[in-house]
Amino acid sequence: MEGTAIHFHTHLDVIVDGESVPVPANLGIDPETRMMSELHTHDARGVLHIEGPAERRYILGQLFNEWGVRLNSQGIGGLKVGRGKTLTAYVDGERVSGDPASIELTAHREIALVYGDPDEQVDVPSSYDFAPGE
């Protein structure tokens, strides 16, 4: 990370079979040098920090690359769509179609990825209560 011409936060919820899966702390942060990529996390709350030297487009797939977890329209990690399982993406509580990896990260956006039985009732968040200054 070379500069902070832009600095904003997005929130991500991952829900698998009705259970919340934490987004790991320190994604995009080298533990030895403490160097950070433009897209990183500091804790396991699901708050994504985007800090970059210039205006550009950031997408959810970039975070999953930092995480080392596959994300596309066919699944998340080792969880595949099919055989009674679906992957549905939501932005600010609204269902979105297409490849979830292409969802744009913007300030105070709430993104939820829900994997599981399509008939299961899941309380999908429509917003996140960011801490002051986030």
Side-chain angles (χ1 to χ4, degrees):
M1 186 171 70
E2 296 181 14
T4 54
I6 62 162
H7 183 183
F8 63 90
H9 303 97
T10 298
H11 188 262
L12 173 64
D13 281 292
V14 178
I15 302 166
V16 174
D17 293 325
E19 299 293 324
S20 180
V21 174
V23 176
N26 300 317
L27 289 176
I29 300 175
D30 184 300
E32 291 182 22
T33 65
R34 303 300 295 166
M35 299 286 291
M36 290 183 269
S37 72
E38 294 175 29
L39 175 57
H40 57 274
T41 65
H42 290 286
D43 53 40
R45 293 179 300 143
V47 174
L48 314 181
H49 296 253
I50 298 90
E51 302 173 40
E55 285 287 330
R56 60 174 270 206
R57 185 174 185 261
Y58 295 90
I59 59 172
L60 189 58
Q62 291 172 268
L63 173 78
F64 278 82
N65 286 340
E66 293 287 346
W67 194 348
V69 173
R70 177 184 63 88
L71 175 65
N72 59 38
S73 61
Q74 296 304 304
I76 181 171
L79 304 173
K80 296 180 181 177
V81 170
R83 297 186 180 179
K85 299 288 186 172
T86 60
L87 175 62
T88 307
Y90 297 84
V91 173
D92 297 332
E94 299 293 322
R95 185 179 182 157
V96 295
S97 60
D99 185 352
S102 67
I103 294 172
E104 186 171 4
L105 306 178
T106 61
H108 290 179
R109 178 168 265 185
E110 165 59 35
I111 300 169
L113 299 176
V114 179
Y115 176 86
D117 183 330
D119 296 327
E120 184 174 5
Q121 294 295 321
V122 176
D123 185 20
V124 176
S126 60
S127 65
Y128 179 75
D129 188 18
F130 289 90
E134 281 187 328

